[in-house]
Amino acid sequence: MTRALRERYDAQALLAAETERALGGAGGLVLLRGATGTGRTAVLEAAAAHAERRGLRVLRTRCSPEDAGVPLSTAGRLLGHVPEYAGMPSADYHRRAERLWELLRSLAANSPLLLAVDDVHLADPSSRRWIAEAAGRIEGLPVLLVATERRQYDIDPQPAGLTHALPASLVRTHTLAPLTDAASTELLATLLPAADPAWAADCVRAGAGHPLLLHALSEDLRGTPPHPLPDTCAALYPGAYPAAVSWWLDSAGPATAEVARTLAALEEVGTPDATDQAVDPPALLAEASGADPARVAGWLTAMTRLGLLRLDAAGRRRYAHPLLRDAVLTDWPTARRQAVHLAAAEALLYRGVRVEAIARHLLRAPVVGKPWALRVLRDATTVAVDASRPGDAVGYLRRALDEPLPDALRQRLLTELGSLEYLCADAGAAISRLGEAVHLGGEPRDRVHTAIALGTALAGQGEVRTAMEVLRRTEAGLSGHPGPARSVRIASVMLSDYEQAQRREAYRWLGEAAGRSPDLVGTAGQALLVRHAATAGLLSAQDAMKRLHALLAEPADPFGEPFLVCTAATVAQWADELDEAEQLVERGLALQRSSLLHPMHQALVDIRADIAAARGDHARLLTDGAGGTGPGGTGPGGTGPGGVRAGAGPTNTDAHVLMALVHADRTDEAQRFAAAFDLRRAPDSWELNRFLYARGVLRAAVGDEAGALHDLLECGRGQLAREVISPVVTPWRTAVAERRTGPGRAREAVALAEEELRLAQVWNTPRTVGRALRVLGAVTGGRRGLELAGEAVRVLRDAPSDLDMELIPALLAQGRQLIAAGERARARDSLREAAERAERKGAVRLHALAGEALREGGARHRTPARTGSAALTGSERRIAELAAEGRTNTEIAELLHLALRTVETHLTHAYRKLGIRGRGELMDALGRHDGI
């Protein structure tokens, strides 16, 4: 025979043997069966070519649907022109059939024959009858009759095949299976020799083992350099592949094509997972397509065996490749697709599956106009928000707005949608949505939510004056509603932090209003005045916390409580009450609807970062920052983790990330990160000042003293312009003093450090006082400087909170001054403690500085314990021992007055250092390492 076709050896051998029998005068019928595209025609053509070489005369015909209306048209076309037909009635089958038989006998008398009939299933019924009858009459003639027949499982059952009534002795039947992956790869290598293995594997899956599809795909890809195979047919030219798939669908019939396309449409959305036990995929597919469920189940099995469908990791049947799925959907009317998705959504709804599985279909369905659709979309939004997938929530809300809605509900949905779009860094769309919502009527509470969300978005984009105007107009429309009006007023004060002039005006008004009538500003406004007094250097931490505790004890105002709790958390963090601050942050976040834009949400996220920085949790800062604007995040000015800001300037999180990179001694990375921000475009806000301070610290770390001084002085200028005098936020004076080391500048450095100490003593917390004492001691020098350094260490060591990130520099400063005073033994103790604390904190740069100072002092740096109970901090040991006694994390938190997260963090660190996996191993681990 001709060159062997891949994996068609059995068929070729059968046809070769039957050809030899025909040459010997023993005719017969060979029926080649197979699904569309499996190569029936190719095998038939190869058999015909082989027969011609063996001396047989080949007569061939290909059947088509047009043959059905003309009796014996296929048989007549096969044998040639039959002039006697002209006088015979078309309904006289027997006379016509007999004449054809006589013609066949005469042709066989002249030469052995091969009669090749392609697609016999499309032949007219009388021709199929004649061919079946001929199979029993050619046994003694040199005639081989070879026919191909499409046989596969379709939704509409197929009619009986050609040989269903023939005895097995009269026919040789062979079924062609799809090609294996190995054979498909070999075929593809001849069609596209340049294909690399990965690309070829993709093509094999798209071809599904069908030579028809593989040849068509190679035609579209010929000349294309290897690259990932596209998922859409729009990328193919000239379009042979989708045309081949379309032909396969046409040959399968309209019912099968409808089910195939429905499956493709449902697969695009994604089928419910294994947890949705109420969903039977064949039943869902049948209901969406309107087909018989039993036939659908059989079709799915058959298509999997044919290779067009494959099982995914979850055991679900899916198209072998996205490109095949897309080709199946080509030219399917949009209206029909939408109807399928609506039917699927309704089917899933009544099966009680998860709302998101239903909502994904509603996204592609037409407007439903029934309450259940809106309910599903809103519930799906809530699920997506809770799972931190705001992008999905945006899609559900956009679709929900297509449904008929009353204005009040439309306002609420627009507000939520705009808030989520802002969270997704689509500020333009967000402001447009929120602007539309502001002009719709609604309840006072809803109007407040919308106005605050729009004001927050505008302020975040630098449009602070516009934000203030929006809030003023909203407040003016809330006469008779004191609570909502007061909430809008307080929001205006909070948002004024983004611009100096607005801030001064807002706090001036707040102070005057509180003086006239405290009720006018409420507990939240009074808390803001406490915060303002703290930053102005007019209040001690103890007095500030006392006032805030009194305000927190008052009956809660639902409109003002978020502002009150957030302000209290800010001041608690400044006051070194880190556990209380953390508890207030969690309380504040619980009061927030994460799907609504609110200035307190970002403020609480900022405070959480401040707490992590105060504790020296650099790993957490870098991890959180990577999800937003940190390294590997969305870039400068993007949305921070859990935040809602998308402005052009750096955020508070960015400043902390920059500082964390410096502490981790990743200064090259820190410089690249800092350089990504164009501070000329940044609004003149407190966040810019924070970032200038952080960049000043970075520049000092890399030896750029002039650049460091510039940034630190600019930070100070900005803070003073905002009436932020106290070092509680950014200790720029001490940072500048450390840089004033040149000749003749010592007096200036001392003056700055003394001013910082004076202000720190007003606030009177270990962190601010200890830092100021350390720097004043360093710039003063001598015996007095050494005394100040020792006092700084004592203040910070006695602090109730974990302030190692201030204690470590104090120990370093003390050690260096002791070396200068000739007290090397004492210096080594301080420096070794600094090195050990720095290593535990992951403060690589401080650890390196401690090692350098130790070497300067003539000591070898001992490597501190990294594991075992000796590596535990005091807090870690205390919490680990309580846990080993069987106390729960909640009980430990209550006993030690700590936040639950603090307990969890300390336990995690303890597990790692002790080399264990859980609390069940704590008792043995603590005893083993302590030698008990």
Side-chain angles (χ1 to χ4, degrees):
M1 295 190 70
T2 58
R3 179 176 57 85
L5 300 171
R6 286 171 179 79
E7 295 187 334
R8 300 295 182 249
Y9 315 117
D10 291 348
Q12 289 178 297
L14 171 63
L15 289 165
E18 292 301 311
T19 299
E20 296 305 315
R21 290 184 72 245
L23 284 169
L29 169 63
V30 175
L31 183 63
L32 298 173
R33 288 176 168 172
T36 301
T38 50
R40 301 187 312 269
T41 300
V43 175
L44 181 62
E45 291 297 327
H50 174 72
E52 286 181 331
R53 288 195 299 274
R54 295 292 295 144
L56 278 74
R57 180 183 177 187
V58 176
L59 302 178
R60 53 168 62 86
T61 188
R62 184 168 190 174
C63 308
S64 69
E66 288 74 20
D67 295 339
V70 182
L72 289 171
S73 59
T74 298
R77 192 168 60 248
L78 174 66
L79 297 180
H81 181 62
V82 187
E84 292 85 350
Y85 276 8
M88 295 182 187
S90 60
D92 193 345
Y93 169 79
H94 293 290
R95 288 179 62 192
R96 286 174 171 254
E98 191 60 30
R99 180 67 189 97
L100 285 170
W101 173 246
E102 292 172 0
L103 180 57
L104 175 59
R105 286 173 62 95
S106 66
L107 291 171
N110 294 326
S111 171
L113 297 177
L114 173 69
L115 304 181
V117 183
D118 201 9
D119 290 341
V120 72
H121 55 282
L122 298 177
D124 62 280
S126 55
S127 290
R128 288 166 58 85
R129 176 182 173 184
W130 184 87
I131 293 170
E133 291 172 351
R137 303 176 71 175
I138 61 176
E139 190 173 6
L141 296 177
V143 177
L144 175 59
L145 179 56
V146 182
T148 69
E149 184 178 52
R150 179 187 178 275
R151 300 303 291 178
Q152 68 182 47
Y153 193 102
D154 290 325
I155 300 302
D156 285 338
Q158 292 182 333
L162 176 67
T163 62
H164 76 286
L166 292 177
S169 60
L170 294 180
V171 62
R172 302 288 187 270
T173 302
H174 184 85
T175 301
L176 300 176
L179 299 178
T180 63
D181 284 356
S184 296
T185 302
E186 291 177 6
L187 174 59
L188 195 67
T190 65
L191 299 172
L192 297 171
D196 64 64
W199 192 41
D202 241 8
C203 293
V204 166
R205 287 197 299 117
H210 288 58
L212 169 73
L213 298 184
L214 286 166
H215 279 88
L217 184 59
S218 68
E219 182 179 341
D220 285 340
L221 298 175
R222 190 169 289 117
T224 304
H227 60 80
L229 192 65
D231 289 347
T232 172
C233 292
L236 300 180
Y237 182 81
Y241 179 80
V245 173
S246 179
W247 183 71
W248 165 63
L249 292 171
D250 290 342
S251 67
T256 299
E258 185 76 1
V259 170
R261 287 169 171 144
T262 300
L263 174 63
L266 298 183
E267 186 180 309
E268 274 192 319
V269 172
T271 54
D273 60 32
T275 61
D276 292 316
Q277 298 296 331
V279 177
D280 175 32
L284 176 62
L285 180 56
E287 193 160 348
S289 63
D292 179 357
R295 298 295 299 178
V296 168
W299 181 83
L300 287 170
T301 300
M303 291 302 101
T304 304
R305 293 187 65 182
L306 287 174
L308 293 159
L309 304 180
R310 296 196 181 194
L311 297 179
D312 66 6
R316 296 170 294 193
R317 291 183 175 92
R318 294 180 175 274
Y319 279 98
H321 193 277
L323 184 63
L324 176 58
R325 180 186 66 214
D326 187 70
V328 169
L329 288 171
T330 299
D331 298 329
W332 204 29
T334 299
R336 185 63 197 125
R337 291 197 200 194
Q338 291 179 330
V340 160
H341 286 296
L342 178 56
E346 290 178 322
L348 292 173
L349 175 70
Y350 294 117
R351 284 170 170 80
V353 304
R354 296 173 301 111
V355 290
E356 280 200 277
I358 306 170
R360 284 195 293 270
H361 287 286
L362 288 177
L363 292 178
R364 297 168 183 253
V367 172
V368 180
K370 296 179 182 178
W372 69 265
L374 185 60
R375 184 179 67 252
V376 165
L377 290 164
R378 295 185 70 186
D379 289 348
T381 298
T382 301
V383 171
V385 168
D386 290 344
S388 300
R389 290 185 283 106
D392 291 344
V394 164
Y396 299 139
L397 281 175
R398 287 175 177 170
R399 174 61 184 82
L401 287 167
D402 292 337
E403 296 292 319
L405 300 168
D407 281 354
L409 180 54
R410 183 171 293 276
Q411 182 192 49
R412 290 197 291 274
L413 294 186
L414 282 168
T415 301
E416 190 170 6
L417 175 57
S419 300
L420 290 169
E421 285 175 329
Y422 199 78
L423 180 59
C424 294
D426 191 355
I431 291 172
S432 177
R433 304 274 190 191
L434 294 168
E436 180 183 352
V438 160
H439 295 294
L440 293 173
E443 295 295 321
R445 183 183 188 90
D446 295 329
R447 288 153 58 195
V448 166
H449 285 157
T450 302
I452 289 178
L454 179 56
T456 304
L458 289 167
Q461 294 301 298
E463 301 289 338
V464 180
R465 293 181 182 275
T466 306
M468 298 294 104
E469 182 57 32
V470 167
L471 293 171
R472 276 193 289 269
R473 286 200 305 266
T474 302
E475 182 187 349
L478 290 171
S479 57
H481 302 282
R486 186 165 53 237
S487 177
V488 173
R489 219 171 289 134
I490 298 306
S492 299
V493 176
M494 290 296 299
L495 292 176
S496 71
D497 276 341
Y498 286 96
E499 186 176 288
Q500 290 180 17
Q502 293 290 324
R503 184 178 189 275
R504 286 194 297 269
E505 181 181 338
Y507 277 97
R508 187 178 303 112
W509 171 87
L510 187 65
E512 292 172 356
R516 293 194 306 271
S517 173
D519 289 341
L520 192 62
V521 300
T523 53
Q526 295 174 57
L528 284 175
L529 287 172
V530 171
R531 189 188 74 166
H532 187 263
T535 59
L538 303 174
L539 199 63
S540 71
Q542 183 178 6
D543 287 344
M545 291 305 299
K546 183 178 180 181
R547 294 185 192 182
L548 287 171
H549 286 150
L551 293 172
L552 287 166
E554 293 189 19
D557 170 10
F559 290 98
E561 188 176 10
F563 297 100
L564 170 61
V565 171
C566 178
T567 304
T570 301
V571 176
Q573 186 271 132
W574 290 342
D576 294 343
E577 301 290 346
L578 301 184
D579 288 337
E580 182 177 356
E582 196 162 38
Q583 291 169 349
L584 287 167
V585 166
E586 297 307 317
R587 175 181 166 186
L589 289 173
L591 292 171
Q592 296 292 309
R593 280 182 58 190
S594 55
S595 60
L596 289 181
L597 193 57
H598 195 285
M600 292 302 93
H601 186 86
Q602 180 61 51
L604 290 165
V605 172
D606 286 334
I607 299 165
R608 193 157 56 188
D610 294 339
I611 295 169
R615 285 181 168 147
D617 194 349
H618 311 305
R620 179 177 176 183
L621 288 167
L622 292 174
T623 299
D624 288 350
T629 57
T634 58
T639 303
V644 292
R645 199 161 35 233
T651 66
N652 182 61
T653 298
D654 295 325
H656 283 307
V657 166
L658 190 57
M659 291 285 286
L661 288 170
V662 173
H663 285 303
D665 206 23
R666 292 157 57 180
T667 52
D668 289 344
E669 189 176 345
Q671 286 178 295
R672 290 193 299 272
F673 180 75
F677 295 92
D678 183 359
L679 300 190
R680 295 170 299 180
R681 297 174 54 238
D684 195 5
S685 66
W686 67 273
E687 290 178 303
L688 173 62
N689 296 332
R690 274 282 178 92
F691 192 79
L692 283 168
Y693 178 84
R695 194 174 72 172
V697 172
L698 166 64
R699 287 178 164 175
V702 298
D704 181 7
E705 293 294 338
L709 268 175
H710 172 271
D711 283 348
L712 295 169
L713 289 170
E714 278 297 298
C715 168
R717 180 200 61 76
Q719 292 293 76
L720 293 175
R722 296 170 59 80
E723 301 175 339
V724 177
I725 310 300
S726 173
V728 67
V729 180
T730 45
W732 61 272
R733 293 180 186 83
T734 48
V736 171
E738 289 180 294
R739 311 275 78 76
R740 298 292 196 189
T741 56
R745 311 194 75 170
R747 182 175 298 177
E748 183 180 352
V750 169
L752 281 168
E754 287 178 339
E755 175 65 7
E756 180 111 324
L757 178 59
R758 183 188 68 78
L759 292 167
Q761 288 172 333
V762 172
W763 183 243
N764 199 28
T765 59
R767 190 172 8 155
T768 54
V769 173
R771 183 195 304 120
L773 285 168
R774 166 178 63 82
V775 176
L776 181 57
V779 298
T780 299
R783 180 54 58 183
R784 175 57 181 158
L786 186 56
E787 291 172 358
L788 291 169
E791 188 177 352
V793 169
R794 285 192 297 275
V795 167
L796 290 165
R797 198 192 297 281
D798 293 340
S801 296
D802 178 5
L803 297 180
D804 272 5
M805 292 312 295
E806 290 298 340
L807 177 55
I808 295 166
L811 288 166
L812 273 169
Q814 183 185 47
R816 288 193 180 104
Q817 288 180 273
L818 285 168
I819 290 173
E823 300 185 42
R824 292 177 176 266
R826 287 182 59 200
R828 286 194 289 272
D829 290 340
S830 294
L831 294 173
R832 285 194 178 111
E833 182 181 354
E836 291 167 1
R837 289 178 180 271
E839 184 167 38
R840 285 200 295 267
K841 282 293 180 186
V844 179
R845 182 171 178 275
L846 290 175
H847 183 265
L849 291 174
E852 180 183 335
L854 277 167
R855 288 189 294 274
E856 290 174 0
R860 295 185 64 184
H861 176 205
R862 291 198 307 265
T863 302
R866 296 173 183 267
T867 60
S869 61
L872 298 179
T873 64
S875 297
E876 289 167 353
R877 172 176 283 279
R878 184 166 64 254
I879 290 171
E881 289 172 345
L882 290 170
E885 293 172 6
R887 297 181 186 269
T888 67
N889 290 359
T890 302
E891 290 171 341
I892 297 171
E894 293 174 352
L895 183 65
L896 300 180
H897 304 290
L898 298 174
L900 182 60
R901 179 176 292 180
T902 301
V903 173
E904 293 168 348
T905 300
H906 283 326
L907 270 178
T908 300
H909 291 166
Y911 294 160
R912 185 179 66 248
K913 292 176 181 179
L914 293 171
I916 61 177
R917 290 178 293 180
R919 65 199 311 126
E921 303 174 63
L922 270 172
M923 183 66 75
D924 288 343
L926 289 170
R928 180 174 67 251
H929 287 295
D930 290 344
I932 297 174

